[in-house]
Amino acid sequence: MAVFSASLAVRFALGDLLASAPFLTFLPAVVASTLLCGWRLGALVLALSALATWYFFLPPYLSFALHGAKTVVPLLGFLVIGGFEVLLVAALVEVIRRLEIARRTQEALFQELQHRLGNTMQYVASTLRLARRDVADPSAAEVLEQAAARIAVMARLHRRLQEP
């Protein structure tokens, strides 16, 4: 409502300078209120702006009388353009909200993937160490131990890289 009041005050201050564009100060108010407060308040500001312009800035002044096409066409044009702005801004806000949810979901899934990868490397290293116990050949046992140690180092490094 403050945005609407400010746009009305600016419109009164500019007076005759905007005689040919009576709705000019209200279009940014519609966009700003929709962006900041949602489509319902944007639609309310659109309606209040149309009524204020109709009453104060369209002939016959200080009246809600319709003066033919000189009143109806500008009012309808403003309502169509303002309605489109409300719909467009509300849709963009919804897209931004969905993108933010998708980003958070993607981050959570990536963190889970990294956690599982670290666990899998630890599991492989442990499995190699268990397999080494059953090997009779000392050189084969040493190869399995070295492989397990390398994978364990990779797992520890991976965990450290994932810490904030």
Side-chain angles (χ1 to χ4, degrees), residues 43-163:
L44 177 63
V45 169
L46 174 64
L48 290 174
S49 298
L51 289 172
T53 303
W54 183 10
Y55 187 78
F56 292 113
F57 305 113
L58 292 177
Y61 301 107
L62 303 177
S63 167
F64 286 115
L66 292 174
H67 192 75
K70 287 185 176 185
T71 307
V72 174
V73 171
L75 275 173
L76 288 177
F78 176 71
L79 289 172
V80 167
I81 290 170
F84 178 73
E85 285 181 343
V86 168
L87 291 175
L88 182 64
V89 170
L92 289 174
V93 166
E94 178 63 17
V95 166
I96 290 169
R97 185 188 69 78
R98 288 183 182 185
L99 285 172
E100 181 61 27
I101 289 170
R103 182 190 63 79
R104 286 195 304 259
T105 302
Q106 183 181 16
E107 284 178 0
L109 289 172
F110 182 72
Q111 291 300 322
E112 179 63 23
L113 174 70
Q114 294 303 321
H115 177 73
R116 288 180 184 221
L117 179 61
N119 287 348
T120 301
M121 285 192 284
Q122 288 288 359
Y123 175 76
V124 169
S126 296
T127 304
L128 288 173
R129 285 197 173 104
L130 286 174
R132 182 192 61 130
R133 293 180 187 169
D134 296 335
V135 174
D137 182 13
S139 63
E142 180 61 28
V143 168
L144 287 174
E145 180 57 35
Q146 287 176 359
R150 287 180 183 147
I151 292 173
V153 167
M154 287 173 30
R156 283 193 304 273
L157 179 62
H158 180 265
R159 291 226 192 263
R160 282 192 181 161
L161 290 174
Q162 295 307 311
E163 291 174 0

